[in-house]
């Protein structure tokens, strides 16, 4: 890949292009007389020896594997501006809809002020704006075409067409369907025709704004000034003559601006990366005479691309240079990641997510000078320059050597570790934070001198927290190569035990770089795999031993005792193997090494996150819950509802609803052979009432119970199997109870024992579905795979539970008690609003509940909202309950079982989280 340059394979056969030493020719052979080329990990000095003559050939292209640049790029900044524009339009329409008095007063004040303007001024402004609004876009288009930038003109025309379509749609919406307050804010009687209204959006102005924004006129100071003058003149003339309103002008500008950036993000902006010719010309403008340039970092990962493109440049005379080029596209790299870090972490998270090119250049130059002034070994910055309006370059003296990541393990000596810490100590003595002390930022030259590179993300006058984070990052980086013991010992030998001990609260993944976190996750997966392999090997050995000792008396009493003994021995062997194979993670190892040297060091992790993902999810869940609750309550008349309620039955419904959490805890713990605190299990079920408004009921409860069991000491695989067994038995019991109560409902009013037609229809429907699933290969394979994976873990867990009858009784009893509690809660809710003549049998209420609960578990909405209410209401009406009683009864039931427990569920969720139980 290359950027308008010459591929190394074509260098020898191309006239007028200097070949980089060590590159391959067209026949694939290496130039044996030339030294090996520099790479990102081998940057040895290959400058010409004194007195050596070499042919100098001027080129304007870059050699090396440059990436094939896309013609267009989708900039995150354009997406952000699009979202801001949409939000601004929504806010403007909201103000127009709900602040009618404010908008009317604003229009009156503006009309009063503009009405005093001289007629001559009004006519001149109107004439000038009418001419300029047409001439300015044409003039800019001609200027761009002369400079061969026709792509921008095409973008502008497309944005103008789309903006015109949006204005037409907005005009139609305001005239036909918009609320009256919005219509009054955007229109007024036309001065030329009192029967007509002015346009809500200016159909000619929005396309012009979209065009000028899309072609980039706002980024050029002179054209931007002309643009604002034209817009102000046009707005002034339209307001004074009464052909528009202030809100109409603002909405027009926002539509044009938003459509422009939406168009740019959708089709992409022209790629403005500097070419090889631009790079060479920029070097000549700052006094250098380049001969050739080669890309050094073409193979780096995309997530590191925001650090700039680095080039190795040879000169006609003097040593070579290292040049870093930063353009607008690279500024956008990692934008959303930096924005998320700035949102979730405290004020020291990352550099500005919307940093300009000028700011990037100034920051890197400042850090380079500050690091050298502090006495640290850093690349010496000798020149900076802009490469047009969309790129900058920084020129450094060439530093040859290898990065720490590329060094063999045997070359990372204690002296090298000590030298690395001395460089960091020099930075910290002047309060300079590096912010990215990863392996590729530490360079070791041929003499063994350590050089700190990649200072672009650093910070001067850094606080203690940033300096401690640097220590934590570097000790982790070194521990990944030489182990925790050597890394901690080298840090203590230079910084002292106090400084290293202070970094322990920073030893958490959130404080480390993205690459380091990825490496730690990879090591964690490898540790888990080794643990699984050890457990499987222990299980295999135990089964082999059991098979060797198995005799013919397996059916006798003594044989059964021996089998149980072998089962216990196998489980004990598995537990011992898991314990032996369990390894500490790297950060824990570092903590232990530092605590061994400094026992009183602080170990509690510092709170680095401003907003945790769990907090954000809680906020979103609360907003969703409030929205659904308000939509449910808007059509209910609470006065008569409360006046006619029977509060004794309401209290009974509250009691049954509360008892359901105890039953749910029994159902869960009945399938967990290990000892788990019962009261905390009840609290976890209460917390589940909060989780239900975040995810579908069948998903949120399973995830929370699995997490609770893991935190209670149950191994992850066994926790999943226990919850799966509980759900599987609960599903079977649910189906059996639905069939049984349905049968009773169909026969309770007839002398015969024939079931109702509804039950028969339901059974036939289920049978048809089973036949369809088994006959379609795709569906059969899908169901078989899911069932096989379920039984693979559930069946062995069920066998463990069957050996403990008390646990099995608790689980089944919890399932039955949970159903009874919900059925009685629904029945009490019906009796709270009904009379003796409108009550239903327990069997009918049970059928309605079981059907509604099944549908709620399958519905994708949080807590089954909507599906459960509709099913319960329709079901109660179908079995004979009046609509006037069914609707409030279902509302009360859902309030007691879904909405009201949200607050105690949230409190329980936070309490268990703080205690480490979730």
């Amino acid at each position: 890949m290359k950027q308008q340059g010459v591929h190394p394979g074509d260098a020898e056969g191309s006239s007028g292009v200097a070949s980089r030493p060590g590159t391959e020719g067209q026949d694939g052979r290496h130039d044996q007389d030339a030294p090996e080329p520099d790479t990102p990990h081998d940057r040895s000095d290959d400058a010409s020896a004194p007195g050596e003559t070499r042919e100098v050939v001027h080129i304007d292209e870059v050699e090396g594997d440059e990436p094939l640049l896309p013609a267009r790029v989708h900039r995150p900044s354009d997406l952000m501006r699009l979202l801001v524009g949409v939000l601004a339009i929504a806010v403007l329409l909201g103000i127009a809809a709900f602040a009618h008095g404010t908008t009317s007063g604003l229009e009156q004040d503006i009309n009063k002020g503009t009405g005093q303007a001289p007629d001559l001024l009004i006519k001149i402004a109107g004439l000038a704006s009418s001419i300029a609004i047409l001439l300015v876009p044409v003039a800019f288009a001609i200027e761009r075409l002369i400079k061969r930038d026709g792509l921008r003109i095409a973008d502008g025309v497309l944005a103008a067409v789309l903006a015109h379509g949006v204005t037409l749609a907005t005009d139609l919406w305001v005239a036909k369907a918009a609320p009256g307050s919005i219509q009054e804010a955007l229109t007024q009687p036309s001065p030329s025709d009192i029967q007509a209204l002015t346009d809500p959006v200016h159909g000619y102005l929005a396309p012009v704004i979209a065009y000028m924004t899309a072609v980039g006129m706002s980024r050029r100071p002179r054209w931007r000034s002309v643009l604002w003058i034209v817009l102000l003149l046009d707005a002034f003339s339209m307001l004074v003559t009464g052909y528009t309103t202030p809100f109409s002008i603002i909405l027009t500008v926002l539509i044009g601006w938003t459509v422009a950036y939406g168009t740019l993000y959708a089709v992409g902006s022209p790629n403005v990366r500097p070419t090889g010719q631009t790079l060479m010309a920029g070097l000549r403008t700052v006094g250098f005479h380049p001969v050739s340039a080669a890309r050094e970092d073409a193979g780096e990962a995309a997530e590191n691309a925001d650090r700039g493109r680095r080039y190795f440049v040879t000169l006609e005379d003097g040593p070579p240079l290292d040049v870093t080029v930063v353009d607008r596209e690279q500024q956008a790299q990692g934008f959303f990641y930096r924005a998320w870090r700035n949102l979730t972490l405290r004020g020291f998270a990352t550099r500005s997510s919307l940093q300009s090119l000028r700011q990037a250049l100034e920051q890197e130059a400042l850090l380079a000078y500050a690091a050298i002034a502090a006495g640290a070994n850093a690349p010496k910055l000798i020149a900076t320059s802009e490469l047009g309006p969309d790129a900058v370059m920084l020129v450094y003296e060439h530093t040859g050597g290898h990065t720490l990541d590329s060094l063999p393990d045997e070359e990372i000596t204690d002296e090298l570790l000590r030298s690395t810490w001395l460089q960091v100590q020099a930075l910290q003595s002047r309060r300079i934070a590096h912010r990215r002390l990863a392996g590729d930022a530490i360079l070791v030259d041929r003499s063994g001198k350590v050089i700190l590179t990649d200072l672009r993300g650093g910070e001067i006058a850094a606080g203690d927290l940033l300096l401690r984070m640097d220590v934590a990052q570097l000790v982790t980086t070194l521990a990944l190569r030489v182990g925790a013991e050597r890394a901690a010992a080298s840090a203590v030998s230079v910084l002292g035990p106090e400084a290293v001990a202070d970094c322990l609260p920073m030893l958490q993944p959130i404080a480390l770089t993205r690459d380091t976190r990825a490496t730690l996750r990879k090591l964690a997966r490898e540790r888990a795999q080794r643990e699984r392999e050890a457990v499987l090997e222990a299980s295999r050995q135990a089964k082999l031993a059991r098979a060797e000792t198995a005799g013919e008396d397996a059916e006798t009493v003594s044989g059964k005792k021996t089998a149980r003994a072998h089962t216990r021995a196998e489980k004990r062997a598995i537990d011992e193997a898991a314990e032996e194979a369990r390894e500490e993670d790297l950060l824990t190892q570092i903590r232990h090494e530092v605590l061994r040297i400094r026992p009183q060091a602080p170990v509690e992790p510092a709170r680095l996150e401003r907003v945790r993902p769990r907090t954000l999810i809680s906020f979103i869940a609360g907003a969703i819950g409030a929205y659904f609750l308000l939509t449910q309550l808007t059509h209910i008349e609470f006065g008569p509802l409360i006046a006619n309620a029977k509060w004794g039955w309401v209290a009974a419904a509250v009691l049954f609803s509360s008892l359901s959490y105890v039953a749910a805890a029994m159902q869960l713990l009945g399938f967990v052979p290990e000892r788990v605190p019962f009261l905390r299990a009840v609290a976890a079920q209460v917390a589940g009432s909060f989780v239900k408004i975040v995810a579908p009921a069948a998903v949120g409860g399973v995830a929370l119970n699995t997490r609770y069991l893991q935190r209670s000491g149950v191994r992850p695989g066994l926790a999943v199997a226990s919850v799966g067994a509980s759900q599987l038995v609960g599903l079977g019991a649910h189906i059996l109870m639905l069939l049984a109560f349905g049968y009773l409902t169909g026969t309770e009013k007839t002398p015969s024992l024939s079931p109702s037609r509804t039950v028969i229809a339901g059974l036939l429907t289920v049978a048809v579905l089973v036949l369809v699933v088994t006959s379609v290969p795709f569906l059969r394979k899908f169901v078989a795979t899911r069932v096989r994976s379920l039984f693979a873990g559930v069946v062995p867990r069920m066998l463990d539970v069957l050996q403990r009858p008390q646990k099995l009784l608790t689980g089944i009893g919890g399932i039955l008690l949970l159903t009874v509690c919900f059925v009685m809660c629904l029945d009490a809710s019906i009796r709270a609003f009904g009379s003796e003549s409108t009550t239903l049998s327990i069997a009918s209420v049970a059928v309605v509940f079981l059907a509604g609960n099944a549908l709620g578990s399958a519905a994708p909405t949080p807590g089954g909202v909507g599906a459960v209410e509709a099913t319960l209401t329709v079901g109660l009406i179908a079995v004979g309950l009046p609509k006037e009683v069914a609707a409030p009864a279902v509302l009360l039931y859902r309030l007691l079982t879904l909405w009201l427990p949200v607050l105690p569920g949230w409190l329980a969720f936070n309490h268990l989280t703080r205690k480490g139980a979730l």
Side-chain angles (χ1 to χ4, degrees):
M1 298 182 357
K2 61 182 182 177
Q3 175 186 332
Q4 295 189 9
V6 181
H7 193 277
D10 301 331
E12 292 184 2
S14 301
S15 60
V17 178
S19 176
R20 178 81 184 275
T23 56
E24 296 183 10
Q26 292 180 352
D27 57 358
R29 295 174 298 180
H30 286 280
D31 183 1
Q32 300 295 331
D33 298 330
E36 289 295 318
D38 290 346
T39 67
H41 304 307
D42 183 11
R43 293 154 52 169
S44 56
D45 191 355
D46 61 350
S48 302
E52 180 182 356
T53 60
R54 59 186 295 180
E55 181 182 0
V56 177
V57 183
H58 292 279
I59 67 168
D60 286 333
E61 295 176 327
V62 177
E63 305 173 37
D65 293 333
E66 279 279 83
L68 291 174
L69 299 180
R72 291 178 172 270
V73 290
H74 302 276
R75 306 184 190 281
S77 57
D78 293 337
L79 176 60
M80 293 300 297
R81 292 186 176 97
L82 168 63
L83 297 178
V84 170
V86 172
L87 179 62
I89 292 174
V91 171
L92 179 69
L93 294 178
I95 293 174
F98 299 105
H100 178 65
T102 302
T103 58
S104 300
L106 180 63
E107 291 180 11
Q108 293 175 2
D109 294 339
I110 293 177
N111 291 333
K112 184 183 298 184
T114 55
Q116 300 175 0
D119 292 338
L120 180 61
L121 178 61
I122 296 174
K123 293 179 180 179
I124 294 176
L127 179 63
S129 62
S130 300
I131 297 175
I133 208 74
L134 298 177
L135 289 183
V136 170
V138 175
F140 187 78
I142 295 174
E143 190 259 352
R144 288 290 90 195
L145 291 174
I146 293 175
K147 295 186 177 182
R148 299 182 180 180
D149 196 7
L151 286 177
R152 291 186 184 273
I153 303 303
D155 294 341
V157 172
L158 177 61
V161 172
L162 294 177
H164 184 65
V166 173
T167 57
L168 292 179
T170 305
D171 288 344
L172 182 62
W173 173 73
V174 173
K176 302 295 184 181
S181 56
I182 293 181
Q183 191 178 72
E184 292 179 10
L186 297 177
T187 61
Q188 63 182 12
S190 175
S192 58
D193 186 359
I194 198 65
Q195 301 295 329
L197 296 175
T198 59
D199 294 333
V201 182
H202 300 284
Y204 69 92
L205 187 58
V208 171
I209 295 173
Y211 167 83
M212 293 189 292
T213 303
V215 298
M217 185 183 296
S218 59
R219 291 199 297 267
R220 291 165 171 79
R222 294 180 180 178
W223 288 101
R224 183 172 62 242
S225 301
V226 174
L227 170 63
W228 280 108
I229 290 174
V230 169
L231 291 179
L232 291 175
L233 282 176
D234 185 76
F236 174 76
S237 61
M238 296 292 289
L239 281 173
V240 170
T241 54
Y243 280 96
T244 190
T245 66
F247 279 85
S248 176
I249 292 178
I250 297 174
L251 181 61
T252 300
V253 173
L254 288 176
I255 288 177
W257 189 76
T258 303
V259 171
Y261 284 111
T263 304
L264 290 178
Y265 185 74
V267 304
S269 301
N271 201 324
V272 293
R273 278 191 174 184
T275 63
Q277 182 178 2
T278 307
L279 174 64
M280 294 301 183
L283 287 171
R284 293 190 181 101
T285 59
V286 291
F288 297 103
H289 303 285
V291 175
S292 65
R295 178 77 178 270
E296 288 190 340
D297 56 353
E300 285 195 356
E303 59 266 19
N304 295 329
D306 64 326
R307 292 153 47 195
R309 301 195 309 279
R310 296 189 293 272
Y311 297 88
F312 175 86
V313 179
T314 57
L315 304 177
E316 293 181 5
D317 53 354
L321 304 174
D322 291 330
V323 180
T324 300
V325 176
V326 182
D327 55 43
R328 293 190 184 276
E329 181 183 346
Q330 288 169 315
Q331 286 295 98
Q333 290 282 348
F335 169 80
F336 293 110
Y337 172 75
R338 294 195 300 271
W340 172 252
R341 296 273 288 182
N342 285 332
L343 173 66
T344 57
L345 300 185
R346 298 184 185 274
F348 49 79
T350 58
R351 60 184 170 87
S352 172
S353 55
L354 287 174
Q355 195 179 38
S356 67
L357 286 174
R358 170 62 63 176
Q359 290 172 331
L361 184 144
E362 292 175 349
Q363 182 180 12
E364 187 162 352
L366 176 63
L367 264 296
Y369 292 135
I372 294 176
N377 297 328
K380 184 178 180 181
L381 182 66
I382 56 179
T384 59
S385 177
E386 292 185 349
L387 298 179
D390 300 308
V392 295
M393 72 172 181
L394 299 99
V395 183
Y396 294 92
E397 288 185 354
H398 176 64
T399 55
H402 298 266
T403 62
L404 184 68
D405 284 343
S406 64
L407 283 179
D409 292 341
E410 59 272 11
E411 294 186 17
I412 305 179
T413 62
D414 292 340
E415 182 60 31
L416 178 60
L417 299 179
R418 178 179 173 81
S419 299
T420 304
W421 283 111
L422 286 173
Q423 300 308 310
V424 175
Q425 185 183 43
L427 292 181
Q428 300 213 343
S429 66
R430 300 297 179 85
R431 314 292 298 183
I432 300 174
H434 187 284
R435 304 298 304 277
R436 196 186 171 280
L437 287 169
D440 58 351
I442 302 171
L443 193 68
V444 183
D445 66 8
R446 293 176 178 176
S447 63
K449 183 174 70 174
V450 175
I451 302 171
L452 299 181
T453 64
D454 198 14
L455 290 162
R456 181 182 177 192
E459 187 170 327
I460 62 171
D464 291 336
L465 211 54
L466 284 179
L467 301 180
R468 292 157 60 193
M469 289 174 66
D470 266 2
V471 175
Q473 172 62 52
L474 183 56
V475 74
T476 305
T477 298
L478 298 179
L480 288 171
R481 295 301 311 275
V482 302
E485 183 178 359
R486 288 183 62 192
S490 63
V492 171
S493 66
V494 176
L495 302 181
E498 290 289 346
V500 180
D502 288 342
C503 84
L504 289 188
M506 305 295 112
L507 277 175
Q508 46 184 312
I510 193 67
L512 305 177
T513 64
R514 186 191 299 188
D515 292 339
T516 305
R517 295 199 303 271
T519 304
L520 292 177
R521 287 194 296 267
K522 179 182 177 182
L523 294 177
R525 289 193 296 268
E526 293 175 354
R527 287 196 308 272
Q529 180 63 28
R530 288 194 294 270
E531 182 178 349
R532 284 193 295 269
E533 291 176 354
V535 170
L536 291 175
E537 179 62 22
S539 176
R540 189 179 66 85
Q541 294 293 341
K543 289 179 179 178
L544 288 176
R546 180 177 182 177
E548 292 174 357
T549 58
E552 297 180 356
D553 58 345
E555 299 299 328
T556 64
V557 175
S558 60
K560 292 181 179 179
K561 291 182 178 179
T562 303
R564 287 195 294 269
H566 280 300
T567 302
R568 290 192 296 269
E570 179 180 354
K571 183 178 180 181
R572 184 168 57 251
I574 292 175
D575 292 338
E576 292 175 356
E579 187 64 29
E580 292 177 0
R582 188 171 291 115
E583 305 174 24
E584 290 182 337
D585 64 274
L586 183 65
L587 299 184
T588 303
Q589 295 177 30
I590 297 173
R591 291 190 189 96
H592 288 169
E593 290 297 328
V594 177
L595 289 174
R596 187 173 57 83
I597 302 171
R598 193 72 174 176
Q600 65 272 28
V603 294
E604 186 68 23
R607 176 70 183 275
L608 301 179
E609 294 172 292
R610 179 190 291 119
V611 179
R612 296 184 177 181
R614 183 182 291 117
T615 306
L616 190 60
I617 292 175
S618 301
F619 175 78
I620 295 174
I624 294 174
Y627 170 77
F628 279 118
L629 179 59
L630 291 176
T631 57
Q632 292 289 318
L633 301 181
T634 50
H635 304 292
I636 301 296
E637 297 181 3
F638 287 97
L641 188 67
I642 297 175
N644 298 329
K646 300 175 183 177
W647 294 101
W649 285 112
V650 172
V654 172
L655 177 62
F656 287 121
S657 176
S658 304
L659 188 59
S660 65
Y661 298 105
V662 178
M666 293 173 57
Q667 175 183 354
L668 174 65
L669 299 185
F671 298 91
V672 182
E674 295 82 3
R675 292 183 60 85
V676 178
F678 181 76
L679 293 180
R680 278 200 173 184
V682 176
Q685 305 314 305
V686 177
S689 61
F690 168 70
V691 177
K692 283 192 298 186
I693 67 170
V694 181
V699 177
V702 170
L704 183 135
N705 287 329
T706 303
R707 177 71 171 175
Y708 169 71
L709 292 180
Q710 292 178 10
R711 287 290 191 174
S712 300
V714 182
R715 290 204 300 269
L718 298 180
V720 174
S722 294
V723 176
S726 172
Q727 294 291 317
L728 185 61
V729 176
L731 176 61
H734 192 99
I735 295 175
L736 291 177
M737 286 187 289
L738 180 60
L739 295 176
F741 283 116
Y743 187 89
L744 293 176
T745 302
T747 59
E748 62 184 3
K749 293 185 179 180
T750 61
S752 64
L753 294 178
S754 59
S756 65
R757 294 182 178 180
T758 303
V759 175
I760 295 176
L763 292 175
L764 291 177
T765 303
V766 173
V768 170
L769 290 176
V770 171
L771 290 175
V772 170
V773 170
T774 55
S775 61
V776 179
F778 171 75
L779 294 177
R780 184 173 63 250
K781 182 178 179 181
F782 177 81
V783 173
T785 302
R786 296 301 184 274
V787 172
R788 190 182 301 114
S789 61
L790 175 65
F791 277 91
V794 169
V795 172
R797 197 59 166 168
M798 286 297 300
L799 295 178
D800 291 340
V801 174
L802 289 175
Q803 297 178 9
R804 296 170 174 82
Q806 184 179 359
K807 282 284 187 179
L808 184 61
L809 183 62
T810 302
I812 297 177
I815 293 173
L816 298 177
L817 180 60
L818 183 63
T819 303
V820 169
C821 288
F822 282 131
V823 170
M824 296 305 297
C825 180
L826 180 58
D827 183 70
S829 301
I830 296 172
R831 294 176 185 273
F833 299 101
S835 61
E836 293 295 334
S837 60
T838 58
T839 57
L840 300 175
S841 67
I842 295 297
S844 300
V845 176
V847 169
V848 172
F849 161 74
L850 292 170
N853 188 57
L855 186 57
S857 299
T861 57
V865 173
V868 173
E869 287 83 358
T871 303
L872 293 180
T873 304
V874 173
L876 292 177
I877 295 175
V879 295
L881 194 67
K883 179 180 179 181
E884 293 75 14
V885 178
V890 171
L891 175 61
L892 176 60
Y893 169 77
R894 292 293 279 172
L895 282 175
L896 296 179
T897 57
L898 179 66
W899 298 113
L900 293 183
V902 167
L903 179 57
W906 179 75
L907 296 175
F909 185 85
N910 287 330
H911 173 73
L912 294 176
T913 301
R914 287 194 302 269
K915 295 294 184 181
L918 286 180

